[in-house]
Amino acid sequence: MDNDITVLLRSRGFKVTPQRLAIYEVLYNSKEHPSAEMIFSRLQSVYPTMSLATVYKTIEILREIGLVQILNAGEDSFRYDANTDNHPHIRCLICGRVDDLEGVDSHHFINMIAKQTDYKITGQQFYFYGICPECQQKSN
Amino acid sequence: MDNDITVLLRSRGFKVTPQRLAIYEVLYNSKEHPSAEMIFSRLQSVYPTMSLATVYKTIEILREIGLVQILNAGEDSFRYDANTDNHPHIRCLICGRVDDLEGVDSHHFINMIAKQTDYKITGQQFYFYGICPECQQKSN
DNA sequence: GACTTTTCGGAAAATTATTATCCGCTAGTT
DNA sequence: AACTAGCGGATAATAATTTTCCGAAAAGTC
Ligand SMILES: [Mn+2]
Ligand SMILES: [Mn+2]
Ligand SMILES: [Zn+2]
Ligand SMILES: [Zn+2]
């Protein structure tokens, strides 16, 4: 994985830097769809001088080379995901966590839509919201 | 319709003003899911002194009383819709227009998701992107 | 390894959609 | 007509993201 990103960056004319590797590693090892701020603070101890702008600039490069996707879960900031497969997400309206919706096959639904529109569909995002298991328990 | 909103506003303790009626009317008579800025400039000629802040404040009230829904089509600003049914939207990546996807039945898909997650689902947004018929023609 | 070129990271300022504040004014009630 | 809670407009504030600028670091060349 560390090799994948190194090769990819270089082949696309981007330099390989510790910051870029570190930011990707946070995303790659996380299932919580961190925001720029979350990535930034997670790396504070390792890279105390890192700028938030570096996080944003790096994410844009990672998106460009196809290593991350940008999620808009209806919050005031974006979330980022190293899983670039198009998969649906769900956000808890109480604690704010954003999770994957596992094991969902959207193909049938998407094909149905494609047949009913004159648009040429190139992508889609499905966002659900609700209450996560933990928050359901707490409210009982 | 003009009566509906008047009654609704008053019954919820909001005053009925020309600006509020005008903003709702723009949304009600539009199929293009205008942003705050679009609503604002459409009303410039009729209400030259209207503030953009008034548009935002009014939209929030309209949302609160259930007359509009807020759409996040992945742009840098929100879109607003007087059709408060939960229905999918599609945005053209070339010209930027946001359209309804008509005649789509999402119930089966949503029920399938609901069965596969431990979340209690309370809502969802389906957002597609692609190329609209007009832009497809132009690129030929 | 030294030299050169190109791109980068960090700090700071800029941008921009949206929200908050403040105050004279208006809608709705009596 | 008078009263008052809520409003509209101007303006400032907020906050996520983007841009700018420059010394520094990475990759290519010898
Ligand atoms: Mn995900
Ligand atoms: Mn719509
Ligand atoms: Zn929760
Ligand atoms: Zn188009």
Side-chain angles (χ1 to χ4, degrees):
Chain A
M1 168 287 253
D2 220 48
N3 193 50
D4 296 352
I5 177 176
T6 296
V7 171
L8 249 174
L9 281 171
R10 224 164 253 152
S11 73
R12 298 287 295 270
F14 296 110
K15 291 187 173 169
V16 177
T17 68
Q19 289 92 337
R20 287 175 181 175
L21 298 177
I23 289 166
Y24 181 63
E25 200 163 336
V26 168
L27 280 165
Y28 188 85
N29 292 317
S30 169
K31 285 205 173 301
E32 58 175 340
H33 310 92
S35 64
E37 190 69 46
M38 289 161 80
I39 297 170
F40 174 70
S41 56
R42 188 143 327 158
L43 290 173
Q44 275 287 297
S45 50
V46 197
Y47 295 93
T49 68
M50 178 183 282
S51 165
L52 195 52
T54 298
V55 176
Y56 281 110
K57 285 189 267 199
T58 297
I59 287 168
E60 169 53 23
I61 289 172
L62 294 176
R63 186 201 59 74
E64 199 177 328
I65 64 182
L67 284 183
V68 310
Q69 67 170 313
I70 299 178
L71 307 180
N72 187 336
E75 299 168 296
D76 48 6
S77 56
F78 294 109
R79 302 271 193 150
Y80 306 97
D81 195 340
N83 175 0
T84 55
D85 295 338
N86 196 300
H87 57 285
H89 293 90
I90 186 161
R91 176 168 58 92
C92 177
L93 295 175
I94 295 180
C95 67
R97 64 184 294 165
V98 175
D99 280 317
D100 289 331
L101 277 171
E102 317 264 13
V104 173
D105 184 22
S106 318
H107 288 87
H108 181 261
F109 181 64
I110 293 171
N111 287 340
M112 183 183 75
I113 300 267
K115 279 186 196 127
Q116 296 182 1
T117 181
D118 295 329
Y119 271 71
K120 184 197 294 176
I121 294 181
T122 61
Q124 69 283 327
Q125 291 286 355
F126 299 151
Y127 295 108
F128 291 80
Y129 40 92
I131 304 177
C132 76
E134 286 80 0
C135 288
Q136 285 177 51
Q137 274 204 319
K138 280 178 199 156
S139 69
N140 283 342
Chain B
M1 168 289 249
D2 220 49
N3 193 50
D4 296 352
I5 178 177
T6 296
V7 171
L8 248 175
L9 281 171
R10 225 163 252 152
S11 73
R12 299 286 296 270
F14 296 110
K15 290 189 172 167
V16 178
T17 68
Q19 290 92 337
R20 287 175 182 177
L21 297 177
I23 289 167
Y24 181 62
E25 201 162 336
V26 168
L27 280 165
Y28 187 83
N29 291 318
S30 170
K31 285 205 175 298
E32 58 176 339
H33 309 92
S35 64
E37 191 68 45
M38 291 161 81
I39 297 169
F40 175 70
S41 55
R42 188 144 325 159
L43 290 173
Q44 275 286 297
S45 49
V46 198
Y47 296 92
T49 67
M50 178 183 282
S51 165
L52 194 54
T54 298
V55 176
Y56 281 109
K57 284 188 269 198
T58 297
I59 288 168
E60 169 54 22
I61 290 171
L62 294 175
R63 186 201 60 73
E64 198 177 329
I65 65 181
L67 284 182
V68 310
Q69 66 169 314
I70 300 178
L71 307 180
N72 188 335
E75 299 167 297
D76 49 6
S77 56
F78 294 110
R79 303 269 193 152
Y80 306 98
D81 195 341
N83 176 0
T84 54
D85 295 338
N86 195 300
H87 57 286
H89 293 91
I90 186 162
R91 177 168 57 92
C92 177
L93 294 175
I94 295 180
C95 68
R97 65 183 296 166
V98 175
D99 281 316
D100 289 330
L101 277 171
E102 318 264 12
V104 173
D105 184 20
S106 319
H107 288 88
H108 180 261
F109 182 64
I110 294 171
N111 286 340
M112 184 185 75
I113 300 269
K115 280 186 195 126
Q116 295 181 1
T117 180
D118 294 331
Y119 271 72
K120 184 197 293 177
I121 293 181
T122 62
Q124 69 282 327
Q125 289 284 352
F126 298 153
Y127 135 63
F128 291 79
Y129 46 97
I131 303 176
C132 77
E134 287 80 0
C135 288
Q136 285 177 52
Q137 273 204 319
K138 278 176 202 157
S139 69
N140 284 344

